[in-house]
Amino acid sequence: MDSKIVLNVAKEDGRSRLKESYHNAPYKLTHYGAANLTDHLEMIIMSASPGIMDTDHLHIDVHVKEEAQLKLFTQSFNKLHPMKTGASQHTDVQVASGGILHYIPHPVTPFKDSIFKATNHIHLAEDAVLMWGDIISVGRIYMKEAFEFDRLHTQTKVFRSGKLAFIDNQLLQPKKQPIQKMLFFEGYTHQATFIFSALFAQELKNELDEILTVEYNDISYGFTQASSDVVILRALGSDGELLYDFLQMLGQLCWDFTMHKLSESKEAEVIEKEVIEPVPIAVDSIVVEVAEAEAVVAKKKSTASPRKKRVNKSKTEEGLKYA
């Protein structure tokens, strides 16, 4: 089955609002909670299907317009059923200038013999911000299907101002790769990836160096700065819900940090504007006051001069009289 989800968000009256949406069976796109509860928009992708079946194809198109802010959620784990041909999912994302996208879906759970490919193409404007998550399970563990899937391929490309800034390409084939050993899952059953992309990624990395110093019993993680505007975190664990909550916590931390940076930027713009641009009303009033003062002085001089002339004239006549 071919399915499509379209979501367009724009800023209007100081709030991010849903301007256009489209979905077809078995998917549904709706508000996550109250529509006007926050200044940013929160949407959730729901599905009436038990999972992705053989030959299914899903296309997701997300457009976050200028200065709009979107948090996109999913309803539950994405289950990949047994397949012979394979299924796919392609996501196109456009984030305009000043826009923010936060998207951390639930884990993908591949059943035995499942074949799946997911591609994500994310295009960011120069000052756009991205928080992106991805979690992969090794299969239905309690059904003895761990590492029994056939092929799982995920590819994420992040472009900024039209140039490729980061690419994450993972191809997992348990029948051909030792993915249970070192440099793969290393005994864990779930893998999580978190990508943060912004012009101030270096500042966030410095904050994470101080915040993420705690060691977890059930999670092993590491993070690094992949480029000047990208920070990536990779984590391994044995509980999908635990990793999902971990990424949500990390995503909220990055969201709060982004709001702080935007607030600082606006304050700096206001101060710079006040310093560079003088207040025209004050200048005009000074000019008017000076002009009025000069006019008063001139008027006083003009009213005094005839009297002075008359006095001089009378003195002259008096002098001639007694000459």
Side-chain angles (χ1 to χ4, degrees):
M1 177 184 292
D2 290 340
S3 303
K4 190 172 185 178
I5 298 173
V6 177
L7 175 60
N8 287 347
V9 185
K11 189 173 183 179
E12 189 177 89
D13 299 328
R15 286 186 171 180
S16 299
R17 302 184 183 274
L18 179 64
K19 303 302 293 184
E20 178 187 1
S21 67
Y22 170 84
H23 58 266
N24 59 353
Y27 295 96
K28 182 180 180 180
L29 188 63
T30 186
H31 288 279
Y32 187 74
N36 297 319
L37 186 61
T38 59
D39 289 339
H40 63 270
L41 181 66
E42 295 187 350
M43 302 292 294
I44 182 171
I45 299 175
M46 307 175 70
S47 176
S49 170
I52 296 179
M53 307 294 182
D54 197 14
T55 71
D56 280 354
H57 301 282
L58 171 61
H59 186 94
I60 303 175
D61 191 350
V62 179
H63 189 182
V64 181
K65 298 185 179 180
E66 187 172 350
E67 295 187 355
Q69 301 173 359
L70 171 64
K71 281 188 176 183
L72 186 58
F73 299 89
T74 54
Q75 180 184 16
S76 61
F77 282 54
N78 193 9
K79 303 177 182 64
L80 309 177
H81 288 262
M83 305 173 187
K84 294 182 179 180
T85 303
S88 66
Q89 174 180 309
H90 180 72
T91 304
D92 273 319
V93 174
Q94 300 280 342
V95 184
S97 177
I100 303 174
L101 173 62
H102 174 289
Y103 180 46
I104 302 176
H106 281 81
V108 174
T109 304
F111 290 9
K112 183 179 180 180
D113 298 329
S114 59
I115 305 170
F116 185 67
K117 182 176 182 180
T119 55
N120 309 299
H121 291 172
I122 306 168
H123 297 267
L124 306 175
E126 183 180 0
D127 58 348
V129 180
L130 172 71
M131 286 151 261
W132 185 274
D134 180 35
I135 305 174
I136 299 173
S137 170
V138 299
R140 295 189 294 179
I141 301 169
Y142 298 106
M143 295 292 291
K144 308 298 182 182
E145 290 185 2
F147 302 103
E148 292 294 327
F149 60 91
D150 190 4
R151 178 187 174 97
L152 183 59
H153 188 190
T154 62
Q155 184 184 84
T156 301
K157 293 182 179 180
V158 179
F159 300 85
R160 185 172 293 276
S161 300
K163 297 181 179 180
L164 183 63
F166 176 78
I167 181 171
D168 182 32
N169 188 35
Q170 290 195 75
L171 175 60
L172 301 178
Q173 295 177 290
K175 298 176 182 177
K176 299 180 179 180
Q177 299 169 328
I179 65 174
Q180 301 183 48
K181 298 182 180 180
M182 187 175 292
L183 302 180
F184 284 93
F185 281 80
E186 301 184 3
Y188 291 98
T189 58
H190 293 75
Q191 176 193 273
T193 302
F194 179 80
I195 300 171
F196 177 83
S197 182
L199 294 181
F200 46 84
Q202 176 65 61
E203 297 178 55
L204 175 73
K205 170 64 166 53
N206 296 338
E207 293 292 331
L208 294 180
D209 287 338
E210 298 182 5
I211 296 173
L212 296 182
T213 57
V214 180
E215 293 185 4
Y216 295 88
N217 294 329
D218 301 322
I219 298 177
S220 178
Y221 66 90
F223 57 92
T224 185
Q225 187 165 1
S227 65
S228 61
D229 60 343
V230 175
V231 173
I232 180 173
L233 178 141
R234 196 88 78 183
L236 292 170
S238 299
D239 188 328
E241 285 287 355
L242 183 62
L243 276 181
Y244 178 73
D245 292 340
F246 179 69
L247 289 198
Q248 286 289 347
M249 177 274 295
L250 188 62
Q252 186 60 45
L253 185 152
C254 293
W255 182 275
D256 294 339
F257 184 79
T258 300
M259 295 299 107
H260 171 69
K261 292 300 297 182
L262 292 179
S263 177
E264 280 188 342
S265 178
K266 289 181 180 179
E267 291 177 1
E269 288 178 0
V270 171
I271 294 173
E272 184 179 359
K273 187 176 181 180
E274 291 178 350
V275 172
I276 295 177
E277 296 182 4
V279 182
I281 297 177
V283 174
D284 291 343
S285 63
I286 293 172
V287 173
V288 171
E289 290 175 1
V290 171
E292 289 178 349
E294 291 177 350
V296 170
V297 172
K299 186 176 181 181
K300 288 182 178 180
K301 288 182 177 180
S302 62
T303 54
S305 55
R307 183 180 177 183
K308 186 176 182 181
K309 288 179 180 179
R310 286 197 299 271
V311 172
N312 292 337
K313 183 178 179 182
S314 60
K315 287 184 177 180
T316 304
E317 291 176 351
E318 185 177 356
L320 290 173
K321 181 179 178 181
Y322 293 101

